Amino acid sequence: MPKKTSVKVYIRYDENKIVGFGRALSDGIFNAAIYDVVIEDIYQNKGIGQQIINDLLAQFKDISCVHLVATTGNEEFYHKVEFSKMKTGMARYLNPALTKEYLE
């Protein structure tokens, strides 16, 4: 049975200006990962991030496991949209500054 992999990108505009975006990747069967939900500073706390997350999750409503890769400091927002910390998440960064910020 062929897999139906998918890449999703959602962009939000204010007139012709990009003010937020989110992207995700899925194998179409079991796993999906949301990356880079970014909202321009002056547009934060206006529901744009929530809308992007909801749009992405709607595309993956039948996917058993949706992972999230997020920047530090936004944990409260992601808890509000029903994400929880993982016990087994791991990463590798080549940039020492990112290693210090994101890894234990």
Side-chain angles (χ1 to χ4, degrees):
M1 177 166 88
K3 292 183 180 181
K4 52 179 186 168
T5 58
S6 60
V7 175
K8 301 292 180 192
V9 176
Y10 285 89
I11 300 172
R12 293 294 179 265
Y13 296 90
D14 183 3
E15 307 222 355
N16 292 329
K17 179 182 179 180
I18 294 174
V19 299
F21 73 90
R23 64 188 175 119
L25 177 66
S26 174
D27 64 12
I29 297 169
F30 183 74
N31 286 298
I34 296 175
Y35 300 94
D36 299 331
V37 176
V38 178
I39 310 301
E40 187 174 335
D41 289 346
I42 63 170
Y43 290 89
Q44 290 181 5
N45 300 310
K46 298 184 181 209
I48 296 169
Q50 173 96 34
Q51 188 177 37
I52 290 170
I53 290 289
N54 288 344
D55 289 345
L56 290 168
L57 291 175
Q59 294 297 308
F60 303 132
K61 66 182 183 336
D62 296 324
I63 302 297
S64 177
C65 181
V66 179
H67 295 94
L68 170 72
V69 178
T71 55
T72 57
N74 294 313
E75 294 85 357
E76 184 179 334
F77 169 75
Y78 291 111
H79 282 293
K80 287 180 184 176
V81 291
E82 300 182 8
F83 281 90
S84 300
K85 285 192 174 195
M86 291 178 57
K87 293 179 182 179
T88 60
M90 295 184 172
R92 176 184 82 126
Y93 290 93
L94 297 178
N95 181 321
L98 294 176
T99 298
K100 184 176 179 182
E101 182 174 355
Y102 289 104
L103 300 182
E104 295 178 349

